[in-house]
Amino acid sequence: MSFSVSDTIVAIATPPGQGGIGVVRLSGPDAHTIARRLISHEGALGPRRATFTTVRLKPDAVETIDQAVATYFPAPHSYTGEEVVELSAHGSPVVLRAIVSSAIACGARLAEPGEFTLRAFLNGRIDLPQAEAVADLIEAVTPLQARAAFDQLEGTLTQEIGEIDRAVFDLAARLEASVDFPEEGYHFVDAEGLAAALDGLIVRTGALLAAANRGRLVREGLQVAIVGPPNVGKSSLFNALAEAPRAIVTNVPGTTRDLVTEVVEIDGLRVTLVDTAGLRDGGDFIEAEGVERARRAQRVADLVLAVVDRSAPLAADLPATDNGKVLYVANKSDLPPAWRRDDTVEVSALTGAGLDVLRGRVARALDAEALHDPPAITNVRHIALVRRADEALRRARGAARAEGGSLSEEFVLADLQDARAALEEISGRRAPEDLLAHIFSRFCIGK
């Protein structure tokens, strides 16, 4: 990834494919100059004004290729903090690629993935958690994920981390002063006050960590494995919940031999459904491997839907699973029942009967209601660094209370510096280049 901010970059900012509108974004010192060569509008573009114009087929040519709206955002009041021009044309890939090619012919460079947001970070328009929130917001598949990402884009996590960091800095500064004047006997913070201040900071980092698992589930989603013996309708149930014919459905046992997955929304949660091979002994090598994968999937799933056929005689008991969190689903309720039990959810994957009840039971089993308020922290990187800061603060508190508070302040200071290093890595003030490259490589080109 190039970290140069001295050149002008260009890319299509809208998703691939055809659409009503497509946007080409230019950012850099020559964005306005290059844009003027691409459009027929005479004179300078007004700041933050939408200007109707036509786009030339080639730079400075008379022949045009499309109508467009040009919007100019002068530095530093733009997304990237640089000069930015956005050309909104018809969403034809041919037209948009032609505009990009013309911009490159004028001296622009094709943007790297995430480079517009990277420049916004490098130019101080946003910090690193906000940049990561941009990617999370783009990738959100549920309203809850979008809300959590937007809160972080608005700076909720940044504010909380910043307040903790400033408090740690204040303590470290007072300890530094005490260490710098040992002979004079100055102590700018007493041992009891230091320990109390650290207790307060540990409460704040602890609160973030307490919400961390909930945040991870909101961001990454949960996994629900559909398991059971052959021909009980697992694949039919999978397709019904996914509302798409994703899995092959036949009367032949052993049709499903590999894991089939689909992401769905259940009560605001991102849920990955996993259709598995029918659990039975025997079969060929490929089916046996499918059964083993099914068992592994149910062991790691957040919830298992154990499917049984309500129209066929039931064994002595419901099938056991390798996962303690299980819902038993009695499928084929549209057929005459061979048995009934109160501890099963009756559905018909064929007619759709009972599916809404099943979704509600799945939501309750996954404790969806507890996840409805977006947590302050969702990113695994942030969670790991907050945990590191929390551990350093706990070490500092232990050092502050050691030997009746007579232990050298340098021990406490070293732990406070470790805590600050972790907090500053969250915000990006101490982020190494390889970390930035990894984070921004997740982005699409044009963002």
Side-chain angles (χ1 to χ4, degrees), residues 351-431:
T351 68
L355 290 182
D356 287 340
V357 174
L358 177 59
R359 290 188 182 96
R361 292 285 300 274
V362 169
R364 288 197 296 276
L366 295 175
D367 202 13
E369 188 173 347
L371 298 175
H372 275 187
D373 291 328
I377 185 168
T378 61
N379 188 299
V380 173
R381 184 182 78 87
H382 303 161
I383 293 169
L385 289 169
V386 170
R387 183 170 289 113
R388 201 175 94 193
D390 181 77
E391 291 169 353
L393 291 172
R394 291 178 186 276
R395 290 197 307 270
R397 181 182 59 181
R401 292 186 182 277
E403 301 180 14
S406 62
L407 194 66
S408 172
E409 291 157 330
E410 292 182 355
F411 290 98
V412 181
L413 185 58
D415 291 324
L416 291 183
Q417 289 169 341
D418 286 346
R420 286 208 72 210
L423 295 170
E424 289 184 347
E425 191 169 331
I426 294 175
S427 66
R429 288 197 293 272
R430 293 198 187 190

Side-chain angles (χ1 to χ4, degrees), residues 41-52:
H41 175 74
E42 295 182 0
L45 294 170
R48 293 173 296 280
R49 288 181 178 272
T51 303
F52 180 75

Side-chain angles (χ1 to χ4, degrees), residues 223 225 227 291-302 304 321-324:
Q223 183 168 299
V227 304
V291 170
E292 177 56 31
R293 293 187 181 190
R295 297 192 186 282
R296 288 199 298 266
Q298 76 175 46
R299 281 195 294 269
V300 301
D302 297 286
V304 172
T321 71
D322 297 332
N323 188 310

